Amino acid sequence: MSGFSTARQKMVDGQVRTNDVTDRRILDAMLTVPREVFVPASRQALAYLDLDLDVSEGGAKRFLIKPQLTGKLLQAAEIGEGDNVLVVGCATGYLAALAAKLAGQVTATECDSALAAKAKDAFAALGLANATCKVASCSEGDPSTAPYDVIILNGAAEATPEGLLGQLKEGGRLVGVSAESKPPRAVIVTHSHGEFGHRALFDAAAPVLPGLERAAAFVF
């Protein structure tokens, strides 16, 4: 495992810290959660590279988003120790596992049932008793454990995820990549006094989550 632990340290030092992720809790989580556990065996050598990593095996393509973007989204979310967090489109669960190191409770959703099962297995293997994964479309979220202090998208949305915003607590925030316009940007949406405020954070690209694609326009 020493090769992976060296790669993990290099990922944090070379990709995450250098992109202004300074929150010690996030850096510690990224140093301790083994990303290779969330990657198919045939691709584990790629686990710590600076790329959106395809972890699907045969189904629709599903990704773990880049480590540096993962760290920056977690930092923007400002997860508190008692927070109730929803991770949308978790794939095999890496981002959700990191969030579980920071939060009180994490619910992850994934539309591919085989990947959701892998996420559950990984959470169990790592002893993350406060993380759970459910099979659900990205646009649905999980109303059963709402409202949430924080919702994080493990990817991009081309349309405003209204169904997810309705699951935010008063004072809650949704963080993810908005690909509604170009260039795509990481955004934070805050829920305050029944209103939703949108703020762009930084330019960022990520694979679009299934169910959050732009509605197909009629083409002549």
Side-chain angles (χ1 to χ4, degrees):
M1 284 301 286
S2 62
F4 282 128
S5 55
T6 303
R8 198 172 308 132
Q9 184 74 54
K10 283 184 174 169
M11 172 190 78
V12 170
D13 291 343
Q15 298 172 44
V16 183
R17 285 184 207 270
T18 52
N19 275 286
D20 302 321
V21 177
T22 54
D23 187 322
R24 185 76 243 172
R25 295 165 65 226
I26 294 168
L27 296 172
D28 286 347
M30 295 186 87
L31 283 170
T32 54
V33 173
R35 200 166 190 251
E36 72 275 7
V37 168
F38 299 88
V39 178
S42 62
R43 278 179 233 141
Q44 282 187 335
L46 308 176
Y48 292 97
L49 298 184
D50 180 25
L51 48 80
D52 299 311
L53 187 54
D54 182 1
V55 292
S56 47
E57 295 187 77
K61 286 197 180 298
R62 301 289 296 106
F63 297 87
L64 304 186
I65 58 175
K66 291 183 190 71
Q68 54 100 348
L69 179 56
T70 300
K72 290 186 82 163
L73 292 177
L74 285 168
Q75 183 161 274
E78 296 184 349
I79 295 170
E81 288 177 12
D83 281 358
N84 183 28
V85 176
L86 174 69
V87 175
V88 174
C90 75
T92 48
Y94 176 66
L95 175 53
L98 294 172
K101 294 279 190 183
L102 310 169
Q105 183 65 39
V106 175
T107 303
T109 62
E110 172 50 48
C111 56
D112 182 318
S113 57
L115 295 185
K118 289 191 170 163
K120 279 185 188 164
D121 289 347
F123 298 159
L126 297 174
L128 297 172
N130 64 330
T132 179
C133 185
K134 302 185 180 178
V135 180
S137 85
C138 294
S139 57
E140 274 175 46
D142 184 25
S144 71
T145 44
Y148 300 100
D149 298 286
V150 176
I151 298 176
I152 305 180
L153 307 183
N154 178 51
E158 289 180 329
T160 303
E162 303 289 354
L164 299 178
L165 294 178
Q167 294 172 37
L168 275 180
K169 234 177 230 181
E170 171 72 23
R173 53 230 169 261
L174 179 146
V175 178
V177 173
S178 169
E180 287 188 70
S181 55
K182 289 192 166 103
R185 291 193 169 99
V187 295
I188 184 164
V189 183
T190 49
H191 182 207
S192 179
H193 307 298
E195 302 282 324
F196 293 99
H198 296 246
R199 183 161 56 89
L201 299 171
F202 49 87
D203 287 359
V208 176
L209 290 168
L212 298 180
E213 302 96 344
R214 186 175 288 107
F218 186 77
V219 179
F220 289 98

